[in-house]
Amino acid sequence: MVYVSENDPDTTGSLARILDRLGLNDVEHLALSGQDCGNLVPAVRVASDALASGRCERVLLLLADRAEGRDRIMASGLSVFSDGAAACVLSGGPDRAGPRLRVEAAASRTAVRLADADPAEQGLLSTVRLASETVTALLDTLGRTRADFRYAILPNYRPAAQKFLLAAMRMPPGKLLLGPVTELGHCFSADLLITLHRLAASGALDPGDRLLLATGGPYSWSALAVEYNS
């Protein structure tokens, strides 16, 4: 199991309680953090590496964060934080019933900046550059173009912010598929999994749809290319 949380004050204790309640007391486990709301893609990469190594057949990925004890308005004004949790199972092949996504490729770019020496506008320019470079790297890996993706799905920022980031990735505006922004707000790294579950349940996705998932942390941007299968 890979447990992802950026603000859990007792990660070790939480891991023990989760595994005990799930009856997985002898299962290997790992905690991951460090990219804040962008933790999903690094977590998927870690799980994929474990599967590729043959050490395991399935990985339970669990993402959970809370906004308790902090201002729920993001400092950037991009959205409103909500408590969030999501889980999925990653495997090397077809698994059990339920919405399934085949991960085709992942890409990330990082540029760490000192906050006290970095004006807000420079941070924004860095995010734009990272977003553009990440999508370009992903497409180069796949040998595909932006037109090959039916939708692009971003974290539950305000729609204006999502459209801005979509433009930074040089994706056509019609490819943006919004999640439950007004209902749930931004749920940290669980955002994209929650959105995918909602979209699949509502019938918004068709089998064979290729999706570009993109998310970022304070100093990074990551993207996943996935194919949806019902």
Side-chain angles (χ1 to χ4, degrees):
M1 185 182 82
V2 178
Y3 174 56
V4 179
S5 182
E6 198 68 39
N7 57 26
D8 187 336
D10 181 18
T11 301
T12 303
S14 294
L15 271 167
R17 289 189 293 273
I18 292 166
L19 291 167
D20 182 63
R21 292 180 185 181
L22 294 176
L24 303 176
N25 303 72
D26 59 350
V27 168
E28 278 192 68
H29 52 277
L30 175 71
L32 184 147
S33 64
Q35 294 196 36
D36 204 26
C37 302
N39 282 327
L40 174 63
V41 178
V44 169
R45 279 182 148 174
V46 168
S48 297
D49 288 345
L51 292 168
S53 72
R55 295 197 309 272
C56 56
E57 295 181 0
R58 292 185 182 87
V59 177
L60 174 61
L61 179 59
L62 175 61
L63 306 100
D65 281 289
R66 302 180 68 180
E68 187 177 39
R70 61 187 293 179
D71 189 345
R72 288 183 177 266
I73 302 295
M74 294 178 68
S76 60
L78 290 175
S79 189
V80 178
F81 275 122
S82 293
D83 300 336
C88 66
V89 174
L90 289 91
S91 66
D95 217 307
R96 298 176 184 176
R100 297 188 300 275
L101 293 166
R102 182 172 67 89
V103 177
E104 296 185 315
S108 296
R109 288 292 183 272
T110 300
V112 175
R113 312 173 307 277
L114 295 179
D116 56 359
D118 183 27
E121 61 270 18
Q122 292 301 315
L124 184 60
L125 289 173
S126 178
T127 298
V128 169
R129 177 176 61 82
L130 291 174
S132 177
E133 291 178 353
T134 299
V135 173
T136 298
L138 185 73
L139 295 174
D140 288 345
T141 298
L142 289 168
R144 293 203 177 100
T145 69
R146 289 166 174 79
D148 292 322
F149 294 90
R150 183 180 181 190
Y151 295 122
I153 302 175
L154 301 174
N156 286 337
Y157 302 146
R158 290 171 178 161
Q162 292 194 48
K163 291 174 183 177
F164 175 81
L165 290 170
L166 194 75
M169 297 188 295
R170 291 182 288 142
M171 294 288 290
K175 291 189 179 291
L176 178 62
L177 187 58
L178 292 173
V181 179
T182 56
E183 180 184 355
L184 299 181
H186 176 42
C187 301
F188 297 85
S189 60
D191 243 8
L192 291 177
L193 287 184
I194 293 172
T195 294
L196 287 169
H197 177 74
R198 289 291 191 93
L199 293 173
S202 69
L205 303 177
D206 295 326
D209 279 350
R210 283 199 174 94
L211 311 173
L212 177 67
L213 314 180
T215 184
Y219 315 115
S220 66
W221 196 257
S222 298
L224 280 176
V226 302
E227 181 181 1
Y228 173 72
N229 294 285
S230 60

